[in-house]
Amino acid sequence: MTSPAILDRITKLRDELRQHNYRYHVLDDPTVSDAEYDALMRELRELETTHPELITPDSPTQRVGAPPAERFAKVQHPQPMLSLSNAFDRQDLLSWRDRVLRLLGADTKLAFVVEPKIDGLAMAITYEQGRLIHAATRGDGYTGEDVTANVRTVKSVPLVLHPSGPVPQRIEVRGEIYMRIADFERLNEQQAANADKVFANPRNGAAGSLRQLDSTITAGRPLRFFAYGIGPVEGATLNSQHQALEYLRDLGFPVNPDIRRYEDFEEVIAYCEEWMSRRDTLAYEADGVVIKVDSFGQQRELGVVAREPRWATAFKFPAREGTTRLLEIVVNVGRTGKLNPNAILEPFTIGGVTVANATLHNEDYIVSRDIRIGDRVTVKRAGDVIPQVVGPIVGARTGSEQPWHMPEMCPSCGTPVVRHEGEADYFCPNRLCPEQIVRSMEHWVSQGAMDIVGMGERQARQFVEGGMIKDVADLYLLNEDSFAGIEGYGPKRIKNLLDGIAASKDRPLHRLISALGIPNVGSTLALTLSRHFRSLSRLADATEEDLRAIDGIGPHVAQSIARYFAEPDHRDLIEKLKQVGVQTEDTQPAPAPVTDGPLSGKTLVITGTLANMTREQAAERVQQAGGKIGSGVTKKTNYLVVGEEPGGSKYTKAQQLNIPILNEAQLVELLGATATESAPATADPDQSEAAFNQSEDQLKLDL
Ligand code: IVH
């Protein structure tokens, strides 16, 4: 090939790769496979290797990072990067709007642009003649740091602009570099596995990844960019925020799809409130909503005071993180014998809620984050999930902090604890461990399980410690005499309790399966198993292969079920339950499969609590619509339905696999006609039909 031909080919390859890069990283809509992309990249790289004189800084091959810098150079921002005033409620928002109107005149026609406030790192990226020449952090708003080499590695930041109209001579694009929650969690897993620093939150992950002197490290980090504004511009006329965002989109920048423009301020408030309640459904952390007066003319008139523009404000969501002191780590024994380290904290408030305890997951979690007793720690409370200790604030140490290790003996029964190879958790192997019995009893009597009124943790503890019961089957052997000498039990109370216990013998099979507390078997899977096997003995005899053949059961869950029933203790328990008269067969007729429903052939997975139906009712209705409920998210899952307090792992997995995520209202919409036409047979005989129909009306209203 001659030189011009080579240059021609290189230019073509670059253009093509830029297009694919844009489609993949900005539009999320690739038109070629990874392999095809890689082949083009390889060809370009080979040509550039043999002709290094043809390499340009904006070539797609140059996103791999540059040689390490000694330090970041300081850069002056041509226009300061401002901060925002805060609003915490409707009243604050209205006061802000009223001030705007006071300054501009009460009759002024206003429009507002509202955007999720992404918790990342503000960035100013300058392009000259359409090429990225320079990128800087916000710093103190006036002076930032030159991070050009690092920003070049962020795939959603264009190195070359490709507008539909003329290229602006110069433009400074402002936006946020951030990390998606799922990517952040994966990065932290890798970091922990390599004994590297783990990050406290996605923002720290983004900042830590971007501020690397060695930009080849940045290149390996899952950073993304959203453009939300402009600094100085030459060669384009822009009159409003909304127009500027359209323009940025046209230049090839990712612009948040959830941005809206409203003229009615009530809609602005509704948007803020809606995102406050739906923040958990976003793929990234958002700590609020930014509200901007749309017109640039009005923005100029309103001006800036004390580094805060009067034309914008941030509606802040309640905080989810705070810091406090870790006073102690206690170990709780769960019903399966799993030892759970829990943090006892100096009580403090996060977003108005007092927190005094938090989970620490397991020993590896504590050790990999170097969390010590006495440390000042960051604690996170997302949605209504259990608060967790995120990590220590190492800079606040005094030297008196103590590292922690799992105790060698079970804190309840003193049996040496065990940890199976390849697993993170420690277990107390003693089946007669009192704490395990109390916990399994507590689960057995709970509402979704055998639902025994008058029994709870306190009673379970009392009966176990009083020597009245050694396993859940013993409950059914209790009689009046058993309560002799137990404080607080008169004849009436004893009768009520014994009646409650007797009534629980006839609970539907799926409730019994739930009550057993088989690891990885929740109420939805219990229903599937009950439908499939229709008898506890048949389930207990199922092989791993039998279980794996059931839709929605993967190898891990199949193994966990088979292992449970392989334990002689568990087989004995099943025999004993039969002997004491617990119903272990499915006594209801099997429903016919629906082949022409709106969800026929679809598999849905539910995570979290739904507001208007139990999971069992949801499963029932999905089945009536022809669909199936899977227990875990896999490639075959068609939708993930997210309720309140969703489980993180299902959510993360669905995001990774690009599986559509629905909220409850969207599920109801999908259920379509079946939601209103046929009166659903409730899976739960205790749930009165009237109550269920009432919640149906509620659902219809919600739509
Ligand atoms: S506008 C004057 N829009 O919030 C306008 N900022 O206090 C200033 N941020 O660290 C910025 N998302 O990086 C704006 N959609 C958004 C934003 C946003 C996040 C951050 C920004 C800065 C802080 C402003």
Side-chain angles (χ1 to χ4, degrees), residues 265-278:
F265 200 69
E266 279 306 318
E267 289 195 274
V268 169
I269 297 175
Y271 178 94
C272 291
E273 287 171 349
E274 177 176 348
W275 280 114
M276 181 160 72
S277 64
R278 280 184 55 200

Side-chain angles (χ1 to χ4, degrees), residues 102 111 208 248 342 387 397 459-460 476 490 500 515 519 522 545 557 630 664:
R102 231 181 7 258
L248 290 171
N342 274 298
R397 283 198 175 141
Q459 291 74 13
Y476 300 91
E545 287 72 56
V557 174
E664 184 170 345

Side-chain angles (χ1 to χ4, degrees), residues 21-345:
N21 196 54
Y22 172 70
R23 296 202 67 92
Y24 187 92
H25 292 285
V26 178
L27 301 184
D28 213 356
D29 182 23
T31 47
V32 289
S33 68
D34 289 1
E36 286 167 280
Y37 179 90
D38 291 345
L40 294 172
M41 187 63 112
R42 211 173 314 122
E43 187 186 343
L44 177 60
R45 218 171 256 137
E46 278 161 16
L47 286 175
E48 287 183 344
T49 311
T50 41
H51 300 275
E53 72 283 1
L54 297 179
I55 299 179
T56 56
D58 52 35
S59 168
T61 58
Q62 302 304 298
R63 288 194 185 265
V64 291
E70 298 248 311
R71 58 179 187 88
F72 295 113
K74 293 268 181 263
V75 276
Q76 194 89 11
H77 295 300
Q79 223 175 59
M81 293 181 80
L82 302 168
S83 7
L84 291 168
S85 61
N86 290 330
F88 293 97
D89 54 26
R90 179 187 171 84
Q91 199 44 54
D92 292 350
L93 288 170
L94 288 171
S95 309
W96 173 77
R97 192 269 321 255
D98 290 346
R99 184 169 67 153
V100 167
L101 279 177
R102 231 181 7 258
L103 291 162
L104 294 179
D107 301 334
T108 314
K109 199 171 150 34
L110 291 173
F112 304 92
V113 171
V114 285
E115 322 169 2
K117 185 170 185 298
I118 303 152
D119 210 2
L121 193 65
M123 202 55 61
I125 312 176
T126 307
Y127 292 78
E128 269 179 15
Q129 314 301 343
R131 296 187 186 272
L132 189 160
I133 55 152
H134 184 250
T137 62
R138 176 165 177 269
D140 64 4
Y142 298 98
T143 312
E145 286 178 322
D146 182 341
V147 287
T148 312
N150 308 62
V151 169
R152 278 184 184 287
T153 70
V154 178
K155 309 280 199 305
S156 50
V157 172
L159 299 177
V160 177
L161 304 179
H162 41 86
S164 52
V167 174
Q169 282 127 36
R170 191 181 164 96
I171 182 167
E172 185 189 297
V173 177
R174 294 181 173 185
E176 201 86 351
I177 295 263
Y178 69 100
M179 228 180 240
R180 284 193 176 180
I181 298 167
D183 290 333
F184 156 76
E185 283 168 358
R186 216 169 323 142
L187 171 65
N188 258 358
E189 273 167 35
Q190 282 166 12
Q191 294 283 105
N194 298 334
D196 280 334
K197 176 184 161 51
V198 292
F199 298 101
N201 51 43
R203 177 168 34 88
N204 288 5
S209 299
L210 198 89
R211 294 191 75 264
Q212 291 283 341
L213 289 169
D214 181 352
S215 54
T216 60
I217 297 179
T218 312
R221 299 285 172 81
L223 293 173
R224 291 171 188 256
F225 182 68
F226 266 138
Y228 59 61
I230 49 168
V233 184
E234 286 165 39
T237 312
L238 300 166
N239 298 315
S240 71
Q241 170 69 4
H242 196 252
Q243 196 194 359
L245 293 173
E246 292 287 313
Y247 185 62
L248 290 171
R249 200 173 272 144
D250 181 52
L251 294 180
F253 289 94
V255 174
N256 196 316
D258 292 318
I259 292 178
R260 297 287 178 272
R261 178 179 185 275
Y262 295 122
E263 290 174 9
D264 179 352
F265 200 69
E266 279 306 318
E267 289 195 274
V268 169
I269 297 175
Y271 178 94
C272 291
E273 287 171 349
E274 177 176 348
W275 280 114
M276 181 160 72
S277 64
R278 280 184 55 200
R279 69 194 289 198
D280 288 317
T281 64
L282 289 169
Y284 48 83
E285 285 282 2
D287 58 347
V289 169
V290 182
I291 304 137
K292 297 171 188 168
V293 169
D294 188 29
S295 150
F296 284 169
Q298 289 174 345
Q299 288 189 4
R300 272 190 297 274
E301 244 181 279
L302 288 162
V304 175
V305 266
R307 307 174 68 187
E308 287 172 1
R310 279 190 287 227
W311 46 265
T313 193
F315 173 77
K316 294 295 278 281
F317 298 153
R320 308 220 265 191
E321 264 184 24
T323 66
T324 188
R325 192 157 307 282
L326 171 60
L327 302 175
E328 207 188 322
I329 298 178
V330 295
V331 174
N332 295 334
V333 185
R335 65 182 142 85
T336 59
K338 191 175 133 195
L339 302 178
N340 304 306
N342 274 298
I344 308 293
L345 305 169

